Amino acid sequence: MPNSNKQRESVSEKERKKGNQIYNSATNDLCPTIIQDRLRKANLHYYNSWNTAIIDNDKSTAAKNHGLSSWRLAKCHGMGSSYGSEINQVAFHYFEAMTYMVHANKYGESAPNDRSWIDKVEGYIREIVDDVCAYAFSLDVDVEKRLRILYRIIDNLGETNIAITSVYYEIADLYFKDGIRYLGNKEFKKSLSRMYDCYHPLEEVKRNINKDRFSTVLQKDVDELENDVFHHKCIAESMQMKAKGDETLQNTLCEQENLCLTMVYEAMDCYSQSIILSREKDIEVEAMVNSKFGDIYNDVLKIESRAKTYYMKSVHLAHTLQPRSFNNDPWFKKAKQVLEKFQNEAAEKERQEEEETVKVYKEIVKDDLDKLRTESGKDALVFVEFLYKTYPPKDTKKVMDLKPTPLTADFKKKSLIKAILHYHPDKQDKEAYGKTWMVLCK
């Protein structure tokens, strides 16, 4: 039996040496077809060496050589080929390389290899994983096919923790970017699904990150990605609630003859949830939803004061995003138009109220107004003198010297200008002097 074991052992070593000889003959100056053919032949010998190996040292060495040869085969085929069969071959060789390198690491740990040999194998595994990830992202395929490749890496790595955190991170990042794409296309349900998909690989990264000394550098990236996922999940939920509110409101407004206020309030509940979810995360969505509230209070519930509050908040939030402009967005145009209408109506109402007030006070000071009309027909300086004696300015500092020597045209002009300034309505203290005085000044 010992002799038999020795013979089997020597067979493994013999096969490995044959493989090494062929592998070394596949130099880079040869054409790709010859290189591939020689590497495949070398792999056959490495495979035989692996199958005939008895001790762990032979198993680990045969596996390492098989992994290196398969890795080189994958690279030789090239990345991102547009042909299906070529893609399958590249993938096959990459995963063969990974599988055998993992075997080399497993058996190398128990074989009498020094630490540097193990470190080198671990380095090969990391590089192969990086190459497979790069290969997956180079392919012109959909996200699901990329994800299948990345999850296959996880399966091939098995129980080893080498490079597994970086793969899980790539999976989470791919889910996240796909969720952003759906969000941009307003497919909120799919976007949310992708954001939730991110959580499992992120948890796996956090669970394994301290088991791999090379993965601790990912900690900052993981924290940032986790925050981004939460941020955009809230945005997707907010936009989904807004879309639900829009649909509910539209459905009830179509019932022209029988408006259902319950559905209106349901829409408002959706908008409220949307604002809560988007607050400090997406100002544009918050501004849009505030404008929607304005529409409900203005067009449906007819409560102008509440409508004005929401429209003003919507416009204010939009302005905080300057220099970005929303002038062509319907929700922003509607908010500005309604606010302008409210302002014009308020100004008109104030003007009418002022006119009515002036009418009342004109009746009170009717005799004084008649006196002023009579005196205004006289010489300008005579009229000014009458004003200052009969109706002196309320501000005692405003005085006029009407007895100059000599009396010139320039003095007359300056006196009139001064009198206009002293009695101009805009220069009076309306609250202190009262309405009667304001009517006289006008």
Side-chain angles (χ1 to χ4, degrees), residues 164-301:
I164 200 167
T165 51
S166 62
V167 182
Y168 273 123
Y169 177 82
E170 292 293 344
I171 292 172
D173 190 56
L174 186 56
Y175 277 135
F176 173 68
K177 288 174 180 174
D178 201 37
I180 293 294
R181 179 176 65 83
Y182 281 127
L183 188 60
N185 294 336
K186 300 188 184 303
E187 296 179 75
F188 308 125
K189 190 173 181 179
K190 290 182 179 179
S191 177
L192 268 176
S193 177
R194 281 308 195 208
M195 294 303 167
Y196 283 114
D197 286 338
C198 293
Y199 284 119
H200 174 258
L202 281 173
E203 286 301 316
E204 288 297 318
V205 172
K206 291 191 289 185
R207 188 172 67 87
N208 290 285
I209 200 164
N210 293 323
K211 298 177 183 178
D212 183 0
R213 65 185 187 278
F214 290 97
S215 297
T216 52
V217 294
L218 276 175
Q219 187 64 60
K220 184 179 179 182
D221 293 335
V222 172
D223 292 341
E224 289 179 358
L225 181 57
E226 197 168 28
N227 288 334
D228 287 341
V229 169
F230 175 75
H231 180 89
H232 285 86
K233 179 178 74 70
C234 290
I235 292 173
E237 288 175 341
S238 173
M239 295 181 75
Q240 188 179 45
M241 292 305 295
K242 177 187 174 297
K244 184 179 178 182
D246 290 344
E247 183 181 1
T248 304
L249 186 62
Q250 184 63 32
N251 288 339
T252 189
L253 291 180
C254 288
E255 302 287 337
Q256 295 290 342
E257 295 181 0
N258 186 23
L259 179 65
C260 180
L261 284 178
T262 301
M263 291 184 68
V264 173
Y265 292 136
E266 284 181 7
M268 293 173 75
D269 286 341
C270 292
Y271 291 143
S272 295
Q273 287 297 314
S274 179
I275 287 178
I276 292 170
L277 289 164
S278 64
R279 187 167 293 143
E280 297 182 0
K281 296 178 181 68
D282 194 322
I283 295 175
E284 181 184 355
V285 174
E286 191 177 352
M288 291 168 63
V289 178
N290 273 282
S291 182
K292 278 290 182 182
F293 266 117
D295 291 345
I296 291 175
Y297 281 110
N298 184 61
D299 303 331
V300 182
L301 301 180

Side-chain angles (χ1 to χ4, degrees), residues 337-394:
Q337 288 170 0
V338 176
L339 282 176
E340 186 176 349
K341 172 175 163 286
F342 286 162
Q343 289 169 356
N344 292 337
E345 289 175 351
E348 177 62 21
K349 184 179 179 181
E350 186 178 346
R351 187 189 65 78
Q352 291 177 359
E353 289 176 352
E354 182 67 16
E355 285 183 358
E356 291 298 321
T357 303
V358 168
K359 274 185 185 180
V360 173
Y361 280 93
K362 276 185 177 180
E363 287 297 321
I364 295 173
V365 294
K366 185 176 181 302
D367 293 341
D368 295 296
L369 291 174
D370 290 340
K371 287 181 185 179
L372 288 169
R373 291 192 192 94
T374 302
E375 293 295 327
S376 64
K378 299 179 180 179
D379 179 76
L381 282 180
V382 173
F383 177 61
V384 170
E385 185 177 4
F386 167 77
L387 277 178
Y388 279 86
K389 286 181 178 178
T390 313
Y391 307 102
K394 297 291 184 181

Side-chain angles (χ1 to χ4, degrees), residues 118-161:
I118 300 297
D119 288 343
K120 186 178 287 188
V121 170
E122 287 186 4
Y124 289 147
I125 294 173
R126 294 180 198 284
E127 290 183 53
I128 294 170
V129 167
D130 289 343
D131 282 353
V132 179
C133 288
Y135 163 74
F137 285 103
S138 73
L139 296 175
D140 186 18
V141 295
D142 59 32
V143 173
E144 294 301 330
K145 289 183 179 178
R146 286 198 180 96
L147 285 167
R148 280 200 291 272
I149 294 173
L150 294 176
Y151 274 114
R152 189 175 169 188
I153 296 174
I154 299 292
D155 292 338
N156 276 47
L157 289 173
E159 296 179 359
T160 179
N161 292 310

Side-chain angles (χ1 to χ4, degrees), residues 341 427 441:
K341 172 175 163 286
K427 301 293 183 181
C441 286

